[in-house]
Amino acid sequence: MTVPLDSMYQQIILDHYKHPHHHDLPAEFDAEVHHVNPTCGDEVTLRVNLASGRIADLGWNGQGCSISQASTSVMSELVVGETIERALELSEVFLELMQSRGAMTLTDEQADELDDAVAFEGVSKYPARVKCALLGWMAMKSAVAEASATSDVGGS
Ligand code: ZN
């Protein structure tokens, strides 16, 4: 199924699909997750390393449609080096956008912080594809939660 998107946005998605960022699993990691989107056949394996409350490193690989793979690439570019808090904030804004069915108008600030992720705005009109766009973000969230739960950051 092809989703008709704005051509500039389509180009951003295609670029990330062809040249995914952080598309390499770090050998050492605090947590690894594997998420699938069975309705489309998308898969993502993602590893994170946390340090001092930040996402020090994140790498992934996967297979599936261009929306799922490109969205994971965009997500990784946005969150690597950011604080965990910030990464989760971004994922909330993106989740809200994806669940808006095309009805959400981003503030300039939100558009700035989502950067290339705004390219997926049009996907929100296609409920069947929303899970594709969210796959990598959900994987990041659960990997961070898992790493936070098992790491000794914060002292114990
Ligand atoms: Zn998909």
Side-chain angles (χ1 to χ4, degrees):
M1 175 183 158
T2 307
V3 176
L5 296 174
D6 177 282
S7 62
M8 186 186 84
Y9 285 172
Q10 198 125 40
Q11 192 57 47
I12 292 172
I13 292 171
L14 204 59
D15 283 349
H16 276 278
Y17 180 57
K18 284 184 178 164
H19 307 286
H21 296 246
H22 302 281
H23 196 249
D24 185 29
L25 291 171
E28 289 182 22
F29 51 93
D30 292 335
E32 178 188 82
V33 297
H34 179 71
H35 279 212
V36 297
N37 172 21
T39 54
C40 183
D42 309 319
E43 294 187 32
V44 164
T45 300
L46 183 146
R47 293 177 178 175
V48 288
N49 281 298
L50 305 181
S52 313
R54 285 179 185 271
I55 298 180
D57 191 20
L58 177 155
W60 63 280
N61 67 27
Q63 56 187 13
C65 71
S66 57
I67 290 173
S68 67
Q69 304 301 301
S71 185
T72 306
S73 171
V74 170
M75 176 280 299
S76 64
E77 200 176 37
L78 284 173
V79 305
V80 170
E82 293 291 347
T83 62
I84 293 167
E85 200 184 352
R86 175 79 179 145
L88 297 180
E89 273 172 24
L90 285 169
S91 84
E92 286 308 309
V93 178
F94 189 72
L95 179 65
E96 197 185 331
L97 178 67
M98 283 300 106
Q99 291 177 337
S100 71
R101 297 187 174 232
M104 181 178 175
T105 307
L106 291 168
T107 64
D108 288 350
E109 193 192 346
Q110 286 173 326
D112 273 357
E113 63 188 12
L114 284 181
D115 199 30
D116 280 357
V118 298
F120 297 90
E121 194 174 14
V123 175
S124 69
K125 293 177 198 153
Y126 303 88
R129 308 309 301 271
V130 166
K131 282 183 182 166
C132 303
L134 289 173
L135 182 68
W137 288 88
M138 295 298 141
M140 179 276 287
K141 269 174 83 170
S142 50
V144 166
E146 201 175 300
S148 303
T150 56
S151 77
D152 53 9
V153 176
S156 59

